[in-house]
């Protein structure tokens, strides 16, 4: 039988990790509570390739947390507020440096349009496509994502809009150094930096490097919880399936012992009469030797 109920993202992620060799006590995906209609894995490959389509639909991060691989969604609350005086941490005697370094991707490299191709739940899992476009930009690139995830048209439109503005929001790479008092921070944490020049900045840590001087060299990107929610509505399909799977109609047959009525019966053969109930599409009679 086929279970039509939605599964959870945590269950699918855990199942994929187990196929890669991880045990139950090495996986913590309990925070991934989103409902998942369906997910197709058609080839054998790296576990990363299996998780990236799921990350695109439901943005989440993963990290090594102790002896556990931890999965958690983005857009969470800030776990730490860091004052400006704690930036540019360095051993005593060294001259002061730059507290915050920012690099920005040029607009021409960013997508103007993001198109999401998906398995459309309302079209009997045929391929559907929804897009989001940024009009007030000089960018001309289009990014197309083929996702083997079952979505409705509205869900796919919202994924496209979230990804579009996520690419533009995260075009800045922010680097800074923290003292060892912040050693509890891990990649994926959301923090708030206080700066007299730039004000309060909400960032998502992308990497944390522990140096030999016990300082933390961090890189981060701008984070905004509002980006991960969308109210976009997808365009409905002009053609949809019936959604009903009809049962197979039983076939009855009779072997007719009749005189030859055709030259095709010149060899040993039988004529066969076959029939079925209403909706019978025909049948094939096969002999097992």
């Amino acid at each position: 039988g086929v279970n039509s109920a939605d599964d959870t993202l945590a269950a699918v992620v855990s199942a994929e990790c187990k196929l890669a060799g991880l045990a139950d006590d090495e996986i913590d995906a309990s925070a991934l509570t989103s409902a998942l209609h369906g997910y197709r894995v058609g080839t054998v490959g790296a576990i990363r390739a299996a998780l990236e389509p799921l990350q695109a639909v439901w943005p989440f991060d993963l990290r090594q947390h102790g002896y556990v691989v931890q999965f958690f969604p983005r857009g969470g609350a800030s776990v730490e507020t860091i004052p400006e005086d704690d930036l540019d941490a360095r051993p005593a005697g060294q001259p002061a440096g730059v507290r915050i370094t920012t690099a920005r991707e040029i607009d021409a490299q960013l997508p103007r349009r993001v198109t999401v191709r998906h398995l459309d739940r309302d079209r009997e899992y045929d391929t559907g496509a929804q897009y989001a476009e940024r009009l007030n930009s000089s960018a001309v690139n289009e990014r197309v994502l083929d996702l083997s995830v079952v979505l409705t048209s509205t869900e796919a439109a919202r994924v496209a809009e979230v990804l579009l503005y996520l690419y533009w929001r995260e075009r800045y790479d922010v680097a800074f150094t923290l003292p060892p008092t912040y050693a509890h921070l891990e990649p994926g944490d959301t923090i708030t930096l206080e700066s007299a020049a730039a004000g309060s900045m909400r960032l998502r840590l992308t990497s944390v490097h522990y140096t030999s001087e016990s300082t933390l060299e961090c890189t981060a990107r701008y984070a905004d919880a509002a980006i991960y929610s969308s109210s976009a509505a997808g365009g409905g399909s002009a053609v949809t399936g019936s959604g009903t799977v009809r049962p197979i109609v039983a076939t009855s047959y009779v072997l007719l012992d009749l005189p030859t009525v055709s030259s095709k019966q010149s060899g040993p053969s039988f004529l066969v009469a076959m029939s079925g109930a209403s909706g019978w599409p025909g049948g094939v009679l096969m002999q097992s030797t």
Side-chain angles (χ1 to χ4, degrees), residues 254-273 285 287:
V254 176
L255 297 175
L256 305 177
D257 187 5
L258 299 176
T260 300
V261 296
S262 170
S263 60
K264 295 181 180 179
Q265 296 177 260
S266 57
S269 61
F270 272 101
L271 294 180
V272 180
L285 180 64
Q287 178 186 8

Side-chain angles (χ1 to χ4, degrees), residues 142-159:
E142 179 180 3
R143 187 167 299 179
V144 180
L145 291 88
D146 290 305
L147 305 177
S148 299
V149 182
V150 179
L151 301 169
T152 64
S153 58
T154 294
E155 290 171 342
R158 292 177 179 179
V159 170

